[in-house]
């Protein structure tokens, strides 16, 4: 079997409302590039990649000469063809590799008539738990609805998501407003959701001093972890030494060299495995094995997925014996999906792992074209800017917070 073609289609998927984060915002939509890899047997494998609000079509077009004639079963060889660690110093293709790996595993599963999780050692769970993903939000530009800025708005939003989807763990994406305001919000969530678990992620926007102060102020709550409260392995070590809340990261441990460093000199307690950031599902499985050996926790990270990447997250979650924490997902913020049958469903805060061949999902061609046309209409947006704060850009640690306005 040989690869004969690669096609990339950029889509824009509307969100319920613009999502704010420490580095800027998702401007009311995600921009995602859907990848299709076709073989000489006519099997088509699916992949997906983000890109900070921008299309990656041109980058995937540049990979065609690398993929032509390649056997999709030879996924390990593909890693070095596309993302050799030394050549990647000049053209880092880690996330491109991930999307192509997704597609190749999808092809192999379809060719063998088995789900991807069977190729990864076999599933140990049929469903994956998810945490709610709570963002501060601008109101929707068309309807004026959906704003999350005050303590009251955030609590109401969290309770609504719990009622609709059954989440039992809740993640607050912070780093937007002054830390004291976000601390009030976080503690209000704990009061409104007794018995549930919490996690806070300011995207490394806090100084070491503020991160320690925040961490100490939440030690009495039912925390899963404090995620990337400050920047850098050494900064995280300082916070970890001073705070009795587990630390997690998806920014400073995203490759095996960084993983080795934190094993030798611990900086975090939980490694958040992202199938895109690590360069594929298989890399995440390998990293999870290292974490299992050294008793580091693992969870599945979200980087703004549509259904294709969500399927990769589900297959990853299905096979990790040491997955003891709920996964993240932006998925419930989406207005729709490009999958046949629409969005995958939550039940009791969980999503069932697809059991069809390959990734177990298929594209709805009409929806793919509809949201590709929407992308052509709206174009890109700068992920690292906030439409509500013209001229602003983030520092690390941040020193310029958004104004929460009238409270509560």
């Amino acid at each position: 079997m040989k690869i004969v073609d690669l096609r990339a289609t950029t889509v824009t998927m509307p969100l319920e409302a613009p999502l704010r984060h420490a580095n800027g915002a998702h401007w009311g939509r995600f921009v995602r590039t859907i990848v299709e890899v076709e073989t000489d047997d006519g099997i088509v494998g699916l992949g997906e990649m983000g890109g900070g609000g921008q299309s990656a079509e041109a980058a995937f077009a540049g990979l065609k000469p690398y993929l032509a004639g390649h056997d999709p079963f030879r996924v390990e060889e593909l890693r070095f063809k596309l993302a050799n660690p030394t050549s990647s110093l000049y053209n880092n293709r880690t996330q491109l590799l991930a999307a192509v790996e997704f597609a190749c595993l999808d092809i192999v599963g379809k060719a063998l008539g088995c789900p991807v999780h069977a190729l990864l050692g076999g599933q140990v769970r049929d469903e994956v738990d998810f945490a709610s993903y709570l963002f501060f939000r601008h109101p929707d530009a068309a309807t004026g609805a959906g704003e999350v800025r005050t303590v009251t708005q955030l609590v109401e939003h969290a309770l609504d998501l719990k009622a609709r989807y059954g989440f039992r763990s809740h993640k607050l994406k912070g780093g937007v407003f002054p830390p004291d305001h976000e601390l009030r919000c976080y503690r209000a969530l704990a009061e409104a959701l007794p018995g549930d678990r919490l996690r806070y992620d300011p995207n490394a926007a806090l100084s070491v001093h503020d991160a320690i102060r925040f961490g100490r102020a939440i030690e009495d709550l039912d925390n899963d972890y404090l995620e990337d409260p400050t920047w850098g392995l050494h900064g995280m070590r300082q916070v970890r030494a001073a705070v009795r809340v587990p630390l997690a990261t998806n920014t400073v441990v995203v490759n095996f060299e960084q993983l080795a460093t934190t094993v030798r000199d611990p900086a975090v307690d939980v490694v958040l495995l992202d199938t895109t950031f690590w360069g594929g599902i298989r890399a995440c499985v390998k990293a999870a094995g290292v974490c299992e050996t050294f008793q580091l926790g693992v969870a599945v990270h979200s980087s703004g997925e549509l259904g294709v990447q969500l399927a990769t997250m589900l297959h990853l979650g299905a096979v990790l014996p040491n997955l003891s924490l709920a996964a993240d997902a932006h998925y419930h913020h989406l207005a729709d999906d490009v999958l046949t049958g629409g969005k995958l469903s939550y039940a009791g805060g969980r999503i069932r792992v697809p059991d069809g061949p390959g990734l177990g999902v298929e594209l709805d061609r009409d929806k793919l074209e509809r949201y590709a046309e929407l992308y052509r209409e709206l174009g890109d947006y700068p992920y690292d800017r906030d439409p509500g704060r013209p001229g602003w850009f983030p520092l690390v640690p941040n020193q310029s917070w958004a104004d929460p306005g009238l409270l509560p």
Side-chain angles (χ1 to χ4, degrees):
M1 182 185 293
K2 303 297 181 186
I3 293 172
V4 295
D5 196 16
L6 179 150
R7 298 181 293 277
T9 305
T10 307
V11 299
T12 277
M13 183 57 63
L15 303 170
E16 289 183 348
L19 308 177
R20 307 181 74 175
H21 51 77
N23 297 310
H26 301 287
W27 290 36
R29 63 191 189 275
F30 284 155
V31 174
R32 307 291 292 180
T33 303
I34 303 298
V35 175
E36 298 175 81
V37 175
E38 186 171 358
T39 72
D40 54 357
D41 291 350
I43 300 175
V44 177
L46 302 179
E48 178 186 330
M49 180 180 158
Q54 297 178 315
S55 170
E57 280 188 39
F60 282 108
L63 296 184
K64 284 189 178 183
Y66 293 82
L67 296 176
H70 184 82
D71 181 349
F73 277 76
R74 300 177 71 168
V75 183
E76 189 67 13
E77 181 180 288
L78 190 68
R79 178 163 70 97
F80 288 93
K81 275 189 173 181
L82 298 187
N84 180 290
T86 54
S87 63
S88 285
L89 295 172
Y90 298 90
N91 51 11
N92 191 323
R93 298 196 186 109
T94 299
Q95 294 195 28
L96 299 173
L97 167 65
V100 175
E101 187 236 52
F102 301 162
C104 286
L105 292 177
D106 193 25
I107 289 168
V108 172
K110 288 172 178 175
L112 298 178
C114 66
V116 163
H117 58 70
L119 306 175
L120 303 172
Q123 67 190 115
V124 295
R125 61 184 60 83
D126 300 326
E127 298 175 312
V128 176
D129 271 305
F130 283 87
S132 72
Y133 211 156
L134 304 169
F135 281 80
F136 296 109
R137 310 196 307 189
H138 289 299
D140 179 76
T143 67
E147 181 185 61
V148 177
R149 174 178 49 84
T150 69
V151 173
T152 300
Q153 288 172 328
L154 178 65
V155 169
E156 289 175 350
H157 181 47
L159 291 173
D160 175 60
L161 291 179
K162 182 177 176 66
R164 281 196 280 163
Y165 302 112
F167 297 123
R168 294 163 294 173
S169 185
H170 308 273
K171 172 174 173 174
L172 176 61
K173 176 69 79 175
V176 175
F177 296 116
D180 285 346
H181 176 63
E182 295 191 354
L183 177 59
R184 286 192 292 273
C185 288
Y186 192 79
R187 294 198 66 88
L189 288 173
E191 183 177 352
L193 297 160
D196 288 1
R197 307 283 299 176
L198 298 169
R199 54 186 71 167
Y200 175 69
D201 174 18
N203 281 139
L206 304 183
S207 67
V208 169
H209 171 80
D210 281 343
I212 291 172
R213 189 165 66 89
F214 194 105
R216 287 177 173 172
I218 65 171
E219 287 180 342
D220 61 311
L221 303 180
D222 290 330
N223 303 292
D224 282 333
Y225 48 71
L226 184 57
E227 178 180 343
D228 288 313
T230 197
W231 177 250
L233 285 168
H234 188 59
M236 294 285 278
R237 288 188 191 99
Q238 293 179 74
V239 176
R240 185 173 181 268
V243 172
R244 292 180 299 168
V245 177
L247 295 195
T249 186
N250 78 283
T251 61
V252 296
V253 181
V254 292
N255 60 45
F256 287 93
E257 186 170 3
Q258 293 168 350
L259 180 56
T261 299
T262 201
V263 165
R264 290 195 306 267
D265 189 3
V268 299
D269 306 284
V270 179
V271 177
L272 305 178
L273 298 169
D274 187 299
T275 56
T276 291
F277 291 179
W278 279 81
I281 309 173
R282 295 168 64 257
C284 291
V285 173
K286 292 178 183 179
V290 175
C291 291
E292 182 180 20
T293 300
F294 291 97
Q295 291 297 296
L296 288 168
V298 298
V300 177
H301 182 256
S302 167
S303 52
E305 66 289 324
L306 302 188
V308 175
Q309 185 168 0
L310 180 65
T312 72
M313 297 159 59
L314 290 167
H315 285 281
L316 173 64
V319 302
L320 300 184
N322 52 330
L323 179 66
S324 58
L325 295 158
D328 288 334
H330 291 72
Y331 197 65
H332 60 271
H333 291 283
L334 302 181
D336 199 0
D337 201 351
V338 295
L339 298 184
T340 298
K343 291 173 66 175
L344 301 181
S345 298
Y346 290 90
R350 302 183 181 95
I351 300 179
R352 189 161 188 83
V353 179
D355 56 9
L359 291 174
V361 296
E362 297 294 339
L363 294 177
D364 182 317
R365 291 287 163 187
D366 290 338
K367 287 188 176 182
L368 184 70
E369 178 52 35
R370 181 192 314 168
Y371 293 114
E373 177 59 33
L374 186 61
Y375 170 74
R376 292 189 288 269
E377 175 187 337
L378 298 177
D380 297 332
Y381 70 87
Y383 165 89
D384 54 353
R385 295 294 183 270
D386 185 336
R389 306 174 71 190
W392 172 86
F393 63 92
L395 299 176
V396 178
N398 193 28
Q399 301 168 27
S400 175
W401 310 104
D403 181 1
L406 298 175
L407 301 176

